[in-house]
Amino acid sequence: QVQLVESGGGLVQAGGSLRLSCAASTNIFRIYFMGWYRQAPGKQRELVAGIISGYSTKYADSVKGRFAVSRDTGKNTVYLQMNNLTPEDTAVYYCHVRDSQVSPGHWGQGTQVTVSS
């Protein structure tokens, strides 16, 4: 069972920045997907950003140009740098990894990000 430990959430004012970290208990070098989803109250969980096959990145349109996903294979950690945050970014952010395109994958426990106006 892969364990994912997230950190870095918190309360920030609009326009501010946060960096989320997700440390995996497994070697992420050959992981198919590693990234972040978020879920706001009353909304479905949505993809925020992720790294596919170690080099390709995918972003939600709403975060392009503001968020950046990266990974450190030596630390088995994926990061989400979030800049120019808005209240619409308020949500619980979940780390997610998948071994393949069809595997259900694993989820972290979630970390709350709250952006005040």
Side-chain angles (χ1 to χ4, degrees), residues 22-38:
C22 173
S25 63
T26 187
N27 189 320
I28 67 169
F29 184 75
R30 297 188 186 280
I31 285 285
Y32 169 73
F33 174 91
M34 191 167 188
W36 299 88
Y37 285 70
R38 68 185 180 188

Side-chain angles (χ1 to χ4, degrees), residues 9-63:
L11 173 65
V12 65
Q13 287 188 330
S17 298
L18 284 173
R19 188 175 83 150
L20 305 182
S21 300
C22 173
S25 63
T26 187
N27 189 320
I28 67 169
F29 184 75
R30 297 188 186 280
I31 285 285
Y32 169 73
F33 174 91
M34 191 167 188
W36 299 88
Y37 285 70
R38 68 185 180 188
Q39 188 166 18
K43 294 187 177 181
Q44 289 189 332
R45 192 172 296 189
E46 63 175 357
L47 173 68
V48 178
I51 300 175
I52 301 170
S53 298
Y55 63 92
S56 177
T57 56
K58 183 177 179 66
Y59 292 92
D61 288 342
S62 60
V63 308

